[in-house]
Amino acid sequence: MTYTEHFRKIVEEQLERVEKLKNSPAAADFSSMDKIVIGTVDGDGIGPIIMDSCRKVLEKLLAEEISTGKIELRKIDGLTLENRIAKMETVPSDVLAAIKECDLLLKGPTTTPGKGDNLPNIESANVTLRRELDLFANVRPVVIPEKNIDWIFYRENTEGEYALGSKGIDINEDISIDFKVTTSMGTIRLAKAAFEYAKNNGNKNVSIVTKANIMKKTDGKFLSLCYDVAKDYPDIKTDDWYVDIMAANLVNDQINSNFNVVILPNLYGDIITDEAAQLQGGVGTAGSANIGSKYAMFEAIHGSAPRMMEEGIGEYANPASINRAAVMMLRHIGMTEKASKLESALDAAQESLDMPGDGTGNTAADFTGFVLDRI
Ligand code: IPM
Ligand code: MG
């Protein structure tokens, strides 16, 4: 394929995707469902260890709903790097079909082969699932009470640099080009979700983050559409920042508590949310929700920590992040009391346990026991 053909194919695919976006399903209404099926997927590396913790916690917290059949926890196997490589599918089709049978997904971290790993070039399972399930908003709260910080990040989750991340072109030996995609519908639905959240939580401030001075087309569109959406929320204070200065602002204690809701395109959101989670106590401490209209997926913000497994210290993995994701899932389906109960137990665990991730301190099993005692 010549690169002009390659480029045409990419554009056609994106045009097709935009057509599909126009027919997106209505948002799921969990209050009217007789039964909610929560799929659980272990993933790679420390995934099975932290997911085991989360399943035990949910089995206790939701014991009543599970026994009456209102909620089913359904374990889905097969989303492992070995199986994905054996089938040469990012998300094997039988696994994807099983996932689509569920209403919600709780997912452990999956490994993505990188350049130099000597593994086949398969795409990130996260990225594929976000795209396949059309999970357009990646929502990541970061709360640091002693600094009066209450942030929630709305990261665009299916477009930007990720839409065509595995479809760049090597023009020749000397030139490689990747692509970044922004669509109106993709941006507007994210901005609406963020502004709705801000409105429903006491008109919190909204900050839009881009690099529109450099990425003029894609970030330019993103920025102007977010401001268009802002017009429907006149009581909300909205401002915008370039991503570099935003990275600095978050560590500037003079001003960082002024930020509340932050809207970002995909890659900046990826980077800034790791920074923010680190300020809260580590990437292991933050949960992440991937929200679409029909489906929603909740996951740990961190990766599969292959290094911990190689060093044989997997049992010291911190299950906080996946359990925080479970809190977000419970809120998403309207079980706010149980969500708060679990959240308090997790806060207490974070206060009391020492989990530096280097094979010292408390283990995942200690963490799970501590939380189970408090729910
Ligand atoms: C995240 C992760 C993923 C991402 C990786 C695992 C593909 O870093 O959820 O933030 O880049 O989105
Ligand atoms: Mg990330």
Side-chain angles (χ1 to χ4, degrees):
M1 212 188 317
T2 66
Y3 55 80
T4 43
E5 281 163 0
H6 185 137
F7 185 63
R8 171 171 307 131
K9 190 160 167 272
I10 284 172
V11 172
E12 279 166 2
E13 275 170 18
Q14 290 303 306
L15 286 169
E16 230 173 81
R17 187 171 73 83
V18 166
E19 280 311 306
K20 274 199 210 138
L21 286 185
K22 292 181 184 157
N23 301 313
S24 294
D29 175 11
F30 292 97
S31 63
S32 69
M33 286 185 190
D34 296 333
K35 180 177 186 176
I36 300 173
V37 181
I38 302 171
T40 69
V41 171
D42 278 357
D44 300 305
I46 60 169
I49 297 166
I50 60 172
M51 282 302 297
D52 179 59
S53 160
C54 194
R55 257 190 303 265
K56 287 195 174 112
V57 166
L58 287 177
E59 274 161 12
K60 176 155 187 203
L61 194 65
L62 303 174
E64 196 191 317
E65 290 79 0
I66 292 172
S67 73
T68 61
K70 166 90 190 138
I71 287 186
E72 179 189 336
L73 292 182
R74 187 182 292 173
K75 189 162 186 280
I76 298 172
D77 292 316
L79 195 65
T80 58
L81 187 59
E82 298 73 34
N83 194 32
R84 290 155 60 211
I85 288 178
K87 298 198 166 148
M88 272 316 276
E89 282 184 291
T90 304
V91 178
S93 41
D94 54 331
V95 176
L96 184 60
I99 287 173
K100 286 187 171 171
E101 291 291 309
C102 303
D103 301 297
L104 304 165
L105 192 65
L106 251 181
K107 185 187 145 298
T110 41
T111 304
T112 306
K115 246 197 159 42
D117 284 347
N118 270 329
L119 290 169
N121 174 25
I122 52 173
E123 204 190 10
S124 149
N126 275 33
V127 172
T128 304
L129 284 172
R130 291 169 186 169
R131 193 173 51 230
E132 283 289 334
L133 305 177
D134 199 23
L135 307 172
F136 60 85
N138 192 319
V139 184
R140 298 182 164 179
V142 165
V143 179
I144 312 171
E146 62 279 16
K147 290 192 170 176
N148 202 20
I149 284 175
D150 182 7
W151 297 329
I152 186 158
F153 297 88
Y154 275 75
R155 163 187 174 189
E156 202 292 317
N157 211 23
T158 54
E159 306 194 336
E161 301 76 359
Y162 285 64
L164 297 170
S166 58
K167 296 192 176 168
I169 309 178
D170 289 320
I171 305 284
N172 61 27
E173 240 170 50
D174 298 318
I175 308 177
S176 299
I177 299 184
D178 276 319
F179 302 101
K180 169 162 173 166
V181 183
T182 298
T183 71
S184 302
M185 268 156 301
T187 307
I188 291 170
R189 61 187 183 172
L190 173 78
K192 278 191 177 154
F195 276 97
E196 275 300 302
Y197 176 87
K199 182 175 132 189
N200 295 333
N201 288 275
N203 284 329
K204 288 176 182 282
N205 299 334
V206 173
S207 301
I208 309 159
V209 172
T210 67
K211 189 76 184 177
N213 50 340
I214 302 299
M215 293 277 104
K216 292 184 195 293
K217 292 296 172 208
T218 47
D219 284 3
K221 183 192 277 302
F222 189 94
L223 181 59
S224 76
L225 288 172
C226 287
Y227 269 120
D228 282 351
V229 172
K231 287 185 198 138
D232 294 334
Y233 301 85
D235 298 330
I236 291 178
K237 189 174 153 281
T238 304
D239 58 15
D240 70 278
W241 303 83
Y242 294 137
V243 62
D244 48 352
I245 193 64
M246 192 61 175
N249 288 344
L250 293 189
V251 290
N252 180 346
D253 288 340
Q254 309 293 315
I255 59 171
N256 55 13
S257 62
N258 298 338
F259 298 109
N260 297 144
V261 180
V262 183
I263 311 180
L264 318 94
N266 210 338
L267 183 60
Y268 311 144
D270 178 45
I271 298 166
I272 291 286
T273 54
D274 265 15
E275 183 195 4
Q278 186 60 38
L279 293 170
Q280 175 183 258
V283 292
T285 62
S288 170
N290 299 267
I291 312 287
S293 302
K294 185 168 181 344
Y295 298 106
M297 174 172 91
F298 301 81
E299 61 185 345
I301 184 172
H302 54 76
S304 57
R307 231 167 312 168
M308 285 186 88
M309 298 309 283
E310 273 160 33
E311 288 170 18
I313 54 170
E315 68 193 285
Y316 290 90
N318 187 345
S321 181
I322 191 70
N323 277 289
R324 297 252 174 222
V327 170
M328 297 180 80
M329 179 184 77
L330 294 170
R331 292 227 163 89
H332 183 70
I333 57 177
M335 300 184 77
T336 44
E337 251 170 59
K338 299 217 172 182
S340 300
K341 192 172 182 185
L342 176 53
E343 191 167 46
S344 307
L346 297 176
D347 289 344
Q350 203 162 315
E351 280 277 298
S352 312
L353 302 181
D354 176 33
M355 306 193 71
D358 60 1
T360 65
N362 290 106
T363 61
D366 295 339
F367 180 98
T368 310
F370 184 98
V371 172
L372 287 174
D373 283 346
R374 282 164 182 76
I375 55 173

